[in-house]
Each structure stands twice: as C-alpha cells, then as structure tokens.
Amino acid sequence: MELKDILSPQLVRLGVRAGDWRQAVMEAGRLLVAGGIATPRYVEAMIRTVETLGPYMVIAPGIAMPHARPEDGVSRTGLAFIRLDVPVAFGHGANDPVDLVIPLAAVNHDAHVMAMAQLAEQLSNPETLRRVREAKTPNEAWRALTGVEEGAGRG
Amino acid sequence: MRTLRIVTVCGMGFGTSLMLKIAVEGILRKHGIRAEVIAWDLGSVKGQPADVLVTSRDLERHLAGTPARLVLIDNLTDKAEIEQKLLPVLQALQHDGGQHGM
C-alpha cells in the first residue's frame, strides 16, 4: 500500500480556514469522513487524543498528523491533507504554528508501513514542502506530496 | 553481546512511532548496528524491557521514571536530528555492553 494509494487528490484541500487547532483537526477529519475513510466519531477521537496526550502529533515544523485508534471508527486506511490559510498553534514547544494538517486513519498497526515511510521521506524533503506550500491547486499539492509527477503513466 | 532493544513510542503505537521506527531502522542500517526496533504505544511501553526509548519530546512527561535511555526528538521527519541524538546513545550502550560482557 503506497502513499498514492491511500491519499487521493480528492482528499486534498487548500486555503482552509480554522480559528484554532480543534477546528483545523475537524476540517481535516471532515475530509476523512467525506472520503468514506472514517466516521465522525473518529474525528472526535483525534481531538480527544491531542487533549489527553498533548500535541506530540505535530511531527515537524508546521506539520501535524492527527490520528486515533483503528477501533475509534476507521473504515479503511487513508490520509487526507489540508493547508490552512492562517497557521494555528497546537501548543507544541518546537513545531508551532501549523499550516499543514495530514489526518491519518489506519485499520491496523502495519498495513500502512510503506505509505508512512514514503510520507516521512517526502516530508523530510525541503523542496517537496516548498512545492506543497506554494501549490495553486489540490492536484498540484497532491503531486508534490506523493511524488507522482505530471504526465506520469501517459508514456 | 546481546541485541539492543530500541522502542519508538507514541500515543497509539502506529502513527508517529511507526515513522520513528522507519527512521531508526535506516540509521541502524547506515551504521551497521544490529538492534531490535519496535513501535509501541504509551500504554504498552510501561514495564517492558527496553534499552532506548525514542519519542517525541512532547511525550517526555508520560515516560518519566523509565530506566531506559530517553532520546527526545523535535522534528520526527529530520533524519539528521534523529541520527545525531540516537547514535551517541547507541555507541555508549554498545561500549557498556562490551565492558560488562553482556
């Protein structure tokens, strides 16, 4: 299961408005629900996880990867991606404020290993992040994030 | 010498800890260090044997009192940061292991 298999361009949204981190997670989670990946209960669980354990899921400067447990309402393994108009603080000591929110839903502990490795690799690349942050369309952001180049597959 | 056990820790055991596990395995391969790497959630990690816990700095307070060495990471996608913090700890442990004949 590769990154491009669990993140579809339809689940990428740019220019999202959120007043605080809760709204940001809600907006990101809304995409998981719309994509049939998780239930509204899962979105609440993601928020509760940040409330109980703290904002450790802000994995890198400006990037949050909220998630909860498979049993909190995951239908299939998937990711979504939103880019906020105005960054919000999660209360993380080193990586606030956050403008990129990538909610993760996983059906178990290991089906998404390869996709996570690819995501980590992509997010560690400054050029990828620049392209994601400057993208004008969701499709452009999706290509930058997944590494799928324009025209790929057309020969 | 026994195999070192490195546990990457996060709240759930498959999100950020999985990301860390992948990064740690890459660093071990690069330096030819043999160790077992497991991704665990905070609930499972208590009372389990581990030489090193690698986790987000933000979870430090949940791991207070662990006998394992703690490696605290700010940027979980930054392989250089993880390598810089983890490698000296592993080298020290390997050295100790040799000294005590473990």
Side-chain angles (χ1 to χ4, degrees), chain B:
Chain B
M1 199 174 109
R2 74 187 173 85
T3 309
L4 292 175
R5 179 182 257 206
I6 305 170
V7 178
T8 60
V9 190
C10 76
M12 305 288 151
F14 62 88
T16 52
S17 61
L18 188 58
M19 236 175 204
L20 277 172
K21 177 180 193 276
I22 294 161
V24 167
E25 284 171 341
I27 292 163
L28 295 177
R29 264 197 309 277
K30 181 175 162 192
H31 293 275
I33 300 171
R34 264 192 48 209
E36 182 187 6
V37 189
I38 315 165
W40 262 337
D41 66 278
L42 279 170
S44 311
V45 80
K46 298 218 167 96
Q48 293 282 352
D51 296 294
V52 185
L53 301 182
V54 185
T55 192
S56 159
R57 179 183 300 282
D58 209 75
L59 290 177
E60 182 180 11
R61 65 195 162 94
H62 297 282
L63 293 165
T66 176
R69 317 248 179 144
L70 264 182
V71 174
L72 301 169
I73 307 298
D74 289 315
N75 182 345
L76 279 68
T77 66
D78 185 348
K79 279 175 274 190
E81 180 190 342
I82 301 171
E83 180 172 355
Q84 215 169 50
K85 290 179 173 173
L86 177 64
L87 210 53
V89 172
L90 293 182
Q91 281 162 348
L93 278 170
Q94 281 187 321
H95 185 72
D96 287 355
Q99 292 254 309
H100 302 136
M102 285 166 82

Side-chain angles (χ1 to χ4, degrees), chain A residues 33-51:
Chain A
V33 176
I37 291 170
T39 63
R41 187 165 64 89
Y42 186 76
V43 182
E44 289 162 28
M46 290 196 293
I47 292 175
R48 216 165 36 243
T49 304
V50 180
E51 287 169 348

Side-chain angles (χ1 to χ4, degrees), chain A residues 18-38:
Chain A
D20 57 23
W21 70 262
R22 275 188 187 79
Q23 276 178 25
V25 176
M26 292 263 280
E27 291 297 326
R30 207 193 295 277
L31 285 181
L32 291 183
V33 176
I37 291 170

Side-chain angles (χ1 to χ4, degrees), chain A residues 3-4 7 118 122 125 128 131-132 139-150 152:
Chain A
L3 182 55
K4 64 175 167 54
L7 175 64
Q118 289 172 335
Q122 290 294 92
N125 182 343
T128 300
R131 285 178 59 198
V132 166
N139 212 42
E140 213 179 301
W142 179 79
R143 283 201 307 269
L145 205 58
T146 54
V148 176
E149 292 307 323
E150 194 167 11

Side-chain angles (χ1 to χ4, degrees), chain A residues 7-80:
Chain A
L7 175 64
S8 74
Q10 290 76 35
L11 296 188
V12 173
R13 198 147 296 171
L14 308 179
V16 176
R17 281 157 199 241
D20 57 23
W21 70 262
R22 275 188 187 79
Q23 276 178 25
V25 176
M26 292 263 280
E27 291 297 326
R30 207 193 295 277
L31 285 181
L32 291 183
V33 176
I37 291 170
T39 63
R41 187 165 64 89
Y42 186 76
V43 182
E44 289 162 28
M46 290 196 293
I47 292 175
R48 216 165 36 243
T49 304
V50 180
E51 287 169 348
T52 14
L53 296 177
Y56 75 93
M57 23 185 98
V58 183
I59 55 173
I63 308 172
M65 192 181 68
H67 56 283
R69 292 179 192 280
E71 57 269 29
D72 291 325
V74 177
S75 313
R76 64 182 169 90
T77 294
L79 289 169

